Every structure is written in structure tokens, then in C-alpha cells.
Amino acid sequence: MDFFSAMNVSASALSAERTRMNLISSNLANANATRTPEGGPYKRKDAVFAATPVEGRFARALDGAANREIRQVEVQQVVEDQSPPRIQYDPSHPDANPQGYVAMPNVNVIEEMADMIGASRTYEANVTAVQTAKSMALKALEISK
């Protein structure tokens, strides 16, 4: 894998994890939102990642020489969690039904925090990979002096 392919792969992962972090932040911010423009409570959103081949002529030539394909990650789509809303008894809530129950978002704050830690760790690992690739390229330039 050449320097630019390594940077492209890490950059794609950083971008994908940033999207994931933004979705987690949105989920946490709307954990108590019982009204949305679409009607009903907020629905948890999640990113679906896909491995795609790295674009570029050199990468394709390298793939052919090494007989393997270099892949990067990208967000294929953002999906809404289809699990049912949490039902909570609160007769004083303005969105309570006649029996006093409120449909709350299907967001589990603990699960979102665990996902946030995972996304943060993945982001940090990719930053480390970028720094390592950069340091290896600088060492290679020093050797050629």
C-alpha cells in the first residue's frame, strides 16, 4: 500500500466516524423529543458502513500487481431504527394519550454512550494511522538525502 492509498483509507474512516458521531449526538439530543415534523416521537438513527474499492489509477495498478484490492470505508446510508417507541406513564405530559401514556423516542442513552466511545476510539486509531504513515514517509525522505 502506497502513502496516498494509506491516507485515503484513513481519511475515509475519519469521515465515516465523524458521520457516526454526528448521528449519535443527534440521538442523544433528541432522547426526549416526543414531537417531530413527521409526527410521533424521534426515531434513533444509525449509519450503515460499506467497504468500497479505493479509486485511482495507481491504486488499480497496484491492486493488479499485488493481486488484492485495497478498500476504504464509506457511509452507505443512514437508517432509522424501526424498534417501537418506549411507552412511559406521565398523565401530565402534553403528548400523553387519554390513558396517560406517552410514546418516547427509542433512544437508549447508555447504548448511545457506548457507541460514542467506540466511535471515538476508532477515530483515534485512524488519526494514529495517519500520523504513522506521515512519519514513515518523512523517514523515507530522510533516507534519500
Side-chain angles (χ1 to χ4, degrees):
M1 181 183 302
D2 67 301
F3 174 72
F4 291 111
S5 294
M7 296 299 269
N8 282 340
V9 169
S10 292
S12 71
L14 290 171
S15 177
E17 290 302 326
R18 185 186 65 227
T19 301
R20 184 176 170 206
M21 288 289 284
N22 288 339
L23 289 172
I24 292 169
S25 298
S26 176
N27 291 340
L28 288 172
N30 291 298
N32 293 316
T34 56
R35 292 182 195 171
T36 61
E38 298 83 26
Y42 176 81
K43 292 183 179 174
R44 179 181 182 270
K45 293 179 176 52
D46 201 7
V48 175
F49 293 161
T52 60
V54 174
E55 295 297 324
R57 212 173 98 205
F58 183 72
R60 278 192 299 242
L62 190 62
D63 291 345
N67 203 12
R68 62 183 176 171
E69 188 175 26
I70 300 171
R71 294 182 171 259
Q72 63 185 7
V73 65
E74 70 179 25
V75 177
Q76 192 171 35
Q77 66 182 30
V78 175
V79 296
E80 285 187 348
D81 188 345
Q82 296 302 317
S83 61
R86 288 182 296 124
I87 303 298
Q88 183 175 340
Y89 182 72
D90 185 3
S92 63
H93 196 283
D95 291 330
N97 64 13
Q99 290 80 29
Y101 290 98
V102 181
M104 301 294 288
N106 56 359
V107 175
N108 182 338
V109 174
I110 295 171
E111 182 180 327
E112 297 299 323
M113 293 302 290
D115 285 349
M116 183 182 292
I117 291 170
S120 176
R121 298 270 193 255
T122 305
Y123 193 90
E124 290 170 3
N126 281 290
V127 168
T128 302
V130 167
Q131 290 171 342
T132 302
K134 180 182 157 191
S135 122
M136 288 172 55
L138 288 175
K139 288 290 183 188
L141 288 174
E142 286 178 12
I143 290 172
S144 65
K145 285 184 181 176

PDB file of all heavy atoms in Angstrom, residues 104-127:
ATOM      1  N   MET A 104     -42.272   7.688  23.876  1.00  0.00           N
ATOM      2  CA  MET A 104     -40.971   8.351  23.937  1.00  0.00           C
ATOM      3  C   MET A 104     -40.066   7.789  22.836  1.00  0.00           C
ATOM      4  O   MET A 104     -40.304   6.690  22.328  1.00  0.00           O
ATOM      5  CB  MET A 104     -40.319   8.116  25.306  1.00  0.00           C
ATOM      6  CG  MET A 104     -41.134   8.607  26.476  1.00  0.00           C
ATOM      7  SD  MET A 104     -41.324  10.394  26.510  1.00  0.00           S
ATOM      8  CE  MET A 104     -39.699  10.890  26.981  1.00  0.00           C
ATOM      9  N   PRO A 105     -39.023   8.515  22.457  1.00  0.00           N
ATOM     10  CA  PRO A 105     -38.099   8.018  21.421  1.00  0.00           C
ATOM     11  C   PRO A 105     -37.472   6.681  21.811  1.00  0.00           C
ATOM     12  O   PRO A 105     -37.303   6.377  22.991  1.00  0.00           O
ATOM     13  CB  PRO A 105     -37.034   9.114  21.343  1.00  0.00           C
ATOM     14  CG  PRO A 105     -37.715  10.333  21.845  1.00  0.00           C
ATOM     15  CD  PRO A 105     -38.690   9.869  22.881  1.00  0.00           C
ATOM     16  N   ASN A 106     -37.091   5.898  20.795  1.00  0.00           N
ATOM     17  CA  ASN A 106     -36.484   4.577  21.028  1.00  0.00           C
ATOM     18  C   ASN A 106     -34.973   4.696  21.215  1.00  0.00           C
ATOM     19  O   ASN A 106     -34.225   3.841  20.765  1.00  0.00           O
ATOM     20  CB  ASN A 106     -36.820   3.619  19.882  1.00  0.00           C
ATOM     21  CG  ASN A 106     -36.393   4.164  18.540  1.00  0.00           C
ATOM     22  OD1 ASN A 106     -35.863   5.264  18.448  1.00  0.00           O
ATOM     23  ND2 ASN A 106     -36.620   3.396  17.495  1.00  0.00           N
ATOM     24  N   VAL A 107     -34.532   5.751  21.887  1.00  0.00           N
ATOM     25  CA  VAL A 107     -33.111   6.009  22.115  1.00  0.00           C
ATOM     26  C   VAL A 107     -32.756   5.519  23.517  1.00  0.00           C
ATOM     27  O   VAL A 107     -33.371   5.919  24.493  1.00  0.00           O
ATOM     28  CB  VAL A 107     -32.802   7.517  21.976  1.00  0.00           C
ATOM     29  CG1 VAL A 107     -31.359   7.794  22.330  1.00  0.00           C
ATOM     30  CG2 VAL A 107     -33.134   8.003  20.581  1.00  0.00           C
ATOM     31  N   ASN A 108     -31.745   4.643  23.594  1.00  0.00           N
ATOM     32  CA  ASN A 108     -31.205   4.173  24.865  1.00  0.00           C
ATOM     33  C   ASN A 108     -29.916   4.959  25.105  1.00  0.00           C
ATOM     34  O   ASN A 108     -28.930   4.779  24.384  1.00  0.00           O
ATOM     35  CB  ASN A 108     -30.933   2.671  24.807  1.00  0.00           C
ATOM     36  CG  ASN A 108     -30.421   2.125  26.113  1.00  0.00           C
ATOM     37  OD1 ASN A 108     -29.894   2.852  26.944  1.00  0.00           O
ATOM     38  ND2 ASN A 108     -30.579   0.826  26.293  1.00  0.00           N
ATOM     39  N   VAL A 109     -29.918   5.824  26.097  1.00  0.00           N
ATOM     40  CA  VAL A 109     -28.788   6.731  26.332  1.00  0.00           C
ATOM     41  C   VAL A 109     -27.506   5.945  26.631  1.00  0.00           C
ATOM     42  O   VAL A 109     -26.424   6.302  26.152  1.00  0.00           O
ATOM     43  CB  VAL A 109     -29.117   7.707  27.475  1.00  0.00           C
ATOM     44  CG1 VAL A 109     -27.920   8.559  27.831  1.00  0.00           C
ATOM     45  CG2 VAL A 109     -30.308   8.588  27.093  1.00  0.00           C
ATOM     46  N   ILE A 110     -27.611   4.857  27.361  1.00  0.00           N
ATOM     47  CA  ILE A 110     -26.421   4.060  27.694  1.00  0.00           C
ATOM     48  C   ILE A 110     -25.828   3.439  26.437  1.00  0.00           C
ATOM     49  O   ILE A 110     -24.613   3.443  26.225  1.00  0.00           O
ATOM     50  CB  ILE A 110     -26.779   2.982  28.743  1.00  0.00           C
ATOM     51  CG1 ILE A 110     -27.170   3.677  30.047  1.00  0.00           C
ATOM     52  CG2 ILE A 110     -25.634   2.018  28.960  1.00  0.00           C
ATOM     53  CD1 ILE A 110     -27.751   2.761  31.091  1.00  0.00           C
ATOM     54  N   GLU A 111     -26.691   2.918  25.565  1.00  0.00           N
ATOM     55  CA  GLU A 111     -26.223   2.333  24.311  1.00  0.00           C
ATOM     56  C   GLU A 111     -25.556   3.397  23.438  1.00  0.00           C
ATOM     57  O   GLU A 111     -24.519   3.149  22.813  1.00  0.00           O
ATOM     58  CB  GLU A 111     -27.401   1.702  23.573  1.00  0.00           C
ATOM     59  CG  GLU A 111     -27.043   1.027  22.285  1.00  0.00           C
ATOM     60  CD  GLU A 111     -28.259   0.416  21.603  1.00  0.00           C
ATOM     61  OE1 GLU A 111     -29.175  -0.042  22.313  1.00  0.00           O
ATOM     62  OE2 GLU A 111     -28.286   0.414  20.371  1.00  0.00           O
ATOM     63  N   GLU A 112     -26.136   4.593  23.418  1.00  0.00           N
ATOM     64  CA  GLU A 112     -25.549   5.681  22.623  1.00  0.00           C
ATOM     65  C   GLU A 112     -24.180   6.081  23.166  1.00  0.00           C
ATOM     66  O   GLU A 112     -23.252   6.351  22.399  1.00  0.00           O
ATOM     67  CB  GLU A 112     -26.478   6.899  22.605  1.00  0.00           C
ATOM     68  CG  GLU A 112     -27.824   6.650  21.939  1.00  0.00           C
ATOM     69  CD  GLU A 112     -27.711   6.256  20.481  1.00  0.00           C
ATOM     70  OE1 GLU A 112     -26.828   6.781  19.778  1.00  0.00           O
ATOM     71  OE2 GLU A 112     -28.504   5.398  20.055  1.00  0.00           O
ATOM     72  N   MET A 113     -24.042   6.109  24.485  1.00  0.00           N
ATOM     73  CA  MET A 113     -22.745   6.460  25.077  1.00  0.00           C
ATOM     74  C   MET A 113     -21.704   5.396  24.747  1.00  0.00           C
ATOM     75  O   MET A 113     -20.548   5.723  24.455  1.00  0.00           O
ATOM     76  CB  MET A 113     -22.880   6.635  26.594  1.00  0.00           C
ATOM     77  CG  MET A 113     -23.730   7.824  26.993  1.00  0.00           C
ATOM     78  SD  MET A 113     -23.124   9.392  26.359  1.00  0.00           S
ATOM     79  CE  MET A 113     -21.663   9.592  27.339  1.00  0.00           C
ATOM     80  N   ALA A 114     -22.083   4.115  24.784  1.00  0.00           N
ATOM     81  CA  ALA A 114     -21.150   3.045  24.422  1.00  0.00           C
ATOM     82  C   ALA A 114     -20.747   3.162  22.952  1.00  0.00           C
ATOM     83  O   ALA A 114     -19.574   2.993  22.600  1.00  0.00           O
ATOM     84  CB  ALA A 114     -21.776   1.683  24.710  1.00  0.00           C
ATOM     85  N   ASP A 115     -21.714   3.473  22.082  1.00  0.00           N
ATOM     86  CA  ASP A 115     -21.402   3.677  20.662  1.00  0.00           C
ATOM     87  C   ASP A 115     -20.479   4.876  20.470  1.00  0.00           C
ATOM     88  O   ASP A 115     -19.595   4.860  19.613  1.00  0.00           O
ATOM     89  CB  ASP A 115     -22.678   3.875  19.854  1.00  0.00           C
ATOM     90  CG  ASP A 115     -23.445   2.585  19.638  1.00  0.00           C
ATOM     91  OD1 ASP A 115     -22.889   1.504  19.937  1.00  0.00           O
ATOM     92  OD2 ASP A 115     -24.599   2.665  19.179  1.00  0.00           O
ATOM     93  N   MET A 116     -20.696   5.922  21.268  1.00  0.00           N
ATOM     94  CA  MET A 116     -19.851   7.113  21.159  1.00  0.00           C
ATOM     95  C   MET A 116     -18.406   6.796  21.553  1.00  0.00           C
ATOM     96  O   MET A 116     -17.473   7.255  20.891  1.00  0.00           O
ATOM     97  CB  MET A 116     -20.394   8.246  22.034  1.00  0.00           C
ATOM     98  CG  MET A 116     -19.593   9.530  21.910  1.00  0.00           C
ATOM     99  SD  MET A 116     -20.178  10.831  22.980  1.00  0.00           S
ATOM    100  CE  MET A 116     -21.755  11.191  22.260  1.00  0.00           C
ATOM    101  N   ILE A 117     -18.233   5.994  22.587  1.00  0.00           N
ATOM    102  CA  ILE A 117     -16.878   5.603  22.997  1.00  0.00           C
ATOM    103  C   ILE A 117     -16.221   4.784  21.881  1.00  0.00           C
ATOM    104  O   ILE A 117     -15.054   5.005  21.535  1.00  0.00           O
ATOM    105  CB  ILE A 117     -16.926   4.813  24.325  1.00  0.00           C
ATOM    106  CG1 ILE A 117     -17.323   5.757  25.458  1.00  0.00           C
ATOM    107  CG2 ILE A 117     -15.585   4.144  24.615  1.00  0.00           C
ATOM    108  CD1 ILE A 117     -17.645   5.048  26.760  1.00  0.00           C
ATOM    109  N   GLY A 118     -16.967   3.871  21.288  1.00  0.00           N
ATOM    110  CA  GLY A 118     -16.435   3.073  20.183  1.00  0.00           C
ATOM    111  C   GLY A 118     -16.042   3.921  18.993  1.00  0.00           C
ATOM    112  O   GLY A 118     -14.978   3.730  18.394  1.00  0.00           O
ATOM    113  N   ALA A 119     -16.898   4.877  18.644  1.00  0.00           N
ATOM    114  CA  ALA A 119     -16.595   5.766  17.510  1.00  0.00           C
ATOM    115  C   ALA A 119     -15.383   6.631  17.821  1.00  0.00           C
ATOM    116  O   ALA A 119     -14.537   6.859  16.947  1.00  0.00           O
ATOM    117  CB  ALA A 119     -17.816   6.631  17.203  1.00  0.00           C
ATOM    118  N   SER A 120     -15.291   7.084  19.050  1.00  0.00           N
ATOM    119  CA  SER A 120     -14.149   7.913  19.445  1.00  0.00           C
ATOM    120  C   SER A 120     -12.849   7.118  19.373  1.00  0.00           C
ATOM    121  O   SER A 120     -11.832   7.614  18.872  1.00  0.00           O
ATOM    122  CB  SER A 120     -14.391   8.448  20.848  1.00  0.00           C
ATOM    123  OG  SER A 120     -13.277   9.160  21.297  1.00  0.00           O
ATOM    124  N   ARG A 121     -12.872   5.885  19.852  1.00  0.00           N
ATOM    125  CA  ARG A 121     -11.668   5.033  19.799  1.00  0.00           C
ATOM    126  C   ARG A 121     -11.274   4.738  18.349  1.00  0.00           C
ATOM    127  O   ARG A 121     -10.085   4.735  18.014  1.00  0.00           O
ATOM    128  CB  ARG A 121     -11.903   3.731  20.543  1.00  0.00           C
ATOM    129  CG  ARG A 121     -12.198   3.889  21.995  1.00  0.00           C
ATOM    130  CD  ARG A 121     -10.919   3.853  22.816  1.00  0.00           C
ATOM    131  NE  ARG A 121     -11.224   3.710  24.214  1.00  0.00           N
ATOM    132  CZ  ARG A 121     -11.138   4.693  25.098  1.00  0.00           C
ATOM    133  NH1 ARG A 121     -10.723   5.867  24.743  1.00  0.00           N
ATOM    134  NH2 ARG A 121     -11.447   4.490  26.355  1.00  0.00           N
ATOM    135  N   THR A 122     -12.239   4.474  17.504  1.00  0.00           N
ATOM    136  CA  THR A 122     -11.940   4.214  16.099  1.00  0.00           C
ATOM    137  C   THR A 122     -11.351   5.449  15.437  1.00  0.00           C
ATOM    138  O   THR A 122     -10.399   5.357  14.647  1.00  0.00           O
ATOM    139  CB  THR A 122     -13.219   3.766  15.368  1.00  0.00           C
ATOM    140  OG1 THR A 122     -13.771   2.646  16.053  1.00  0.00           O
ATOM    141  CG2 THR A 122     -12.936   3.389  13.933  1.00  0.00           C
ATOM    142  N   TYR A 123     -11.896   6.612  15.768  1.00  0.00           N
ATOM    143  CA  TYR A 123     -11.378   7.862  15.217  1.00  0.00           C
ATOM    144  C   TYR A 123      -9.920   8.051  15.639  1.00  0.00           C
ATOM    145  O   TYR A 123      -9.056   8.371  14.823  1.00  0.00           O
ATOM    146  CB  TYR A 123     -12.240   9.034  15.699  1.00  0.00           C
ATOM    147  CG  TYR A 123     -11.997  10.314  14.964  1.00  0.00           C
ATOM    148  CD1 TYR A 123     -12.719  10.642  13.829  1.00  0.00           C
ATOM    149  CD2 TYR A 123     -11.040  11.215  15.396  1.00  0.00           C
ATOM    150  CE1 TYR A 123     -12.501  11.814  13.147  1.00  0.00           C
ATOM    151  CE2 TYR A 123     -10.803  12.396  14.724  1.00  0.00           C
ATOM    152  CZ  TYR A 123     -11.536  12.688  13.607  1.00  0.00           C
ATOM    153  OH  TYR A 123     -11.302  13.855  12.923  1.00  0.00           O
ATOM    154  N   GLU A 124      -9.657   7.823  16.929  1.00  0.00           N
ATOM    155  CA  GLU A 124      -8.282   7.961  17.438  1.00  0.00           C
ATOM    156  C   GLU A 124      -7.333   6.985  16.754  1.00  0.00           C
ATOM    157  O   GLU A 124      -6.185   7.337  16.439  1.00  0.00           O
ATOM    158  CB  GLU A 124      -8.250   7.731  18.947  1.00  0.00           C
ATOM    159  CG  GLU A 124      -8.904   8.824  19.752  1.00  0.00           C
ATOM    160  CD  GLU A 124      -9.072   8.440  21.214  1.00  0.00           C
ATOM    161  OE1 GLU A 124      -8.643   7.346  21.631  1.00  0.00           O
ATOM    162  OE2 GLU A 124      -9.657   9.257  21.940  1.00  0.00           O
ATOM    163  N   ALA A 125      -7.768   5.745  16.521  1.00  0.00           N
ATOM    164  CA  ALA A 125      -6.923   4.755  15.851  1.00  0.00           C
ATOM    165  C   ALA A 125      -6.580   5.202  14.436  1.00  0.00           C
ATOM    166  O   ALA A 125      -5.443   5.024  13.981  1.00  0.00           O
ATOM    167  CB  ALA A 125      -7.627   3.397  15.826  1.00  0.00           C
ATOM    168  N   ASN A 126      -7.532   5.815  13.753  1.00  0.00           N
ATOM    169  CA  ASN A 126      -7.256   6.283  12.390  1.00  0.00           C
ATOM    170  C   ASN A 126      -6.361   7.510  12.383  1.00  0.00           C
ATOM    171  O   ASN A 126      -5.561   7.677  11.467  1.00  0.00           O
ATOM    172  CB  ASN A 126      -8.565   6.530  11.649  1.00  0.00           C
ATOM    173  CG  ASN A 126      -9.145   5.240  11.155  1.00  0.00           C
ATOM    174  OD1 ASN A 126      -8.616   4.628  10.244  1.00  0.00           O
ATOM    175  ND2 ASN A 126     -10.207   4.789  11.797  1.00  0.00           N
ATOM    176  N   VAL A 127      -6.483   8.369  13.376  1.00  0.00           N
ATOM    177  CA  VAL A 127      -5.552   9.500  13.491  1.00  0.00           C
ATOM    178  C   VAL A 127      -4.135   8.971  13.706  1.00  0.00           C
ATOM    179  O   VAL A 127      -3.178   9.464  13.093  1.00  0.00           O
ATOM    180  CB  VAL A 127      -5.981  10.454  14.623  1.00  0.00           C
ATOM    181  CG1 VAL A 127      -4.880  11.450  14.945  1.00  0.00           C
ATOM    182  CG2 VAL A 127      -7.262  11.184  14.248  1.00  0.00           C
TER     183      VAL A 127
END
